[in-house]
Amino acid sequence: MTATEIDMAYRDWLKQGLARPGYDNTGLAAAWGLERTAVSKVLSGVKRLLVSDVFKAFDYLGVQPPGLTVVSRPDDGEIDLLYGKWFAENFDRKGEKAELARLWGVDRATVSKAASGRRPLTIVEALLAARMFRSNPPGLELERMQVAGPRLAERLAAGVARTASARDDVPYLIEPDPDYPEADLRVYQVDGPCMEARKPRPIIPGDLVAAVLLKDVKGSKKSAVVDGSLVVVRAEMAPKLYEWTLRSVKWEDGGITLSCQSLKKGFAPLRVSSLSESGPVRIVAVARRVISKV
């Protein structure tokens, strides 16, 4: 989505929330600590909607903002500080200033002010930056796109052996990934023990995982598969019997440790020496979206 589309989506979110019985501009203005005219200015596009405004609007309206899930609520006085720190930690001045300026529709000096904490982020800027950084903003998780087709790749479950099928080579009907627009995403379903102990949000049976095949990752694959990222792993448990699991990546000891963050015991970490290893244990895909059934 473009900056304009995100801005329109958020204004529609506010308008729809305020159209319900018991909600009005006066109540939202009170939640923001501003005059009632401030609401009209936001709804008309005259005033920018800051990240802090979104958290307060969520508190008042009780409806998740578009494209996001609120997973924790920072204190009002800490929001700008947290977002300034998050932005500065993820921002690469050499490679991303010009692109962010283009996406935001501002000049480079404005991006520099945001990176130095001299300018609070709008929700449009935070969302576009989060997609570029591939990092959820503080307290928020990027909402995952809904699957538009019924076909699934292999099911993900620790300790379950299955025969290989042709499903892993079938493209699925799902919105393209903005970082890999040409790749055919694979959609896996969590079918058993896997990542139900993962924090801050567990991944449980019934959840869907949209992933891009490792072979379709352009550029440096190591930069796409960093510590803490999730990958789909295929492990041969017996001749022609395989286990597909979702695992967390940790680069250490000259290789990669692949952990299954399950509440059940007995699922030992797997090891591969490199991303290109094609032995009994192989990284098949990089998880990009988790679509929760909850």
Side-chain angles (χ1 to χ4, degrees), residues 87-236:
F87 187 83
E89 288 176 347
N90 285 277
F91 178 62
D92 178 356
R93 294 179 183 274
K94 294 181 180 179
E96 295 173 345
K97 183 185 293 186
E99 179 62 11
L100 276 172
R102 184 188 69 81
L103 291 173
W104 290 0
V106 299
D107 57 27
R108 297 188 187 188
T110 301
V111 178
S112 296
K113 288 179 181 178
S116 63
R118 291 177 290 155
R119 179 179 179 275
L121 290 175
T122 68
I123 189 60
V124 172
E125 293 164 351
L127 275 174
L128 291 172
R131 291 176 181 175
M132 173 179 283
F133 299 153
R134 284 180 284 182
S135 169
N136 285 318
L140 302 174
E141 183 175 284
L142 296 181
E143 189 66 34
R144 311 314 182 182
M145 297 299 177
Q146 294 301 310
V147 178
R151 296 176 296 181
L152 297 173
E154 304 298 345
R155 296 179 181 274
L156 306 176
V160 178
R162 296 186 173 93
T163 58
S165 74
R167 290 179 296 175
D168 197 43
D169 293 322
V170 178
Y172 299 91
L173 303 176
I174 189 170
E175 183 171 324
D177 190 291
D179 291 328
Y180 306 101
E182 304 301 321
D184 288 326
L185 295 182
R186 301 304 195 259
V187 180
Y188 299 84
Q189 181 173 327
V190 177
D191 195 36
C194 214
M195 303 293 286
E196 69 271 21
R198 184 174 175 83
K199 296 180 179 180
R201 172 172 292 187
I203 301 173
I204 61 176
D207 287 351
L208 301 179
V209 178
V212 60
L213 294 181
L214 188 62
K215 66 180 181 63
D216 289 337
V217 173
K218 305 301 181 184
S220 171
K221 290 180 171 54
K222 189 170 183 178
S223 65
V225 184
V226 298
D227 280 354
S229 59
L230 297 176
V231 293
V232 177
V233 178
R234 190 189 77 172
E236 187 170 12

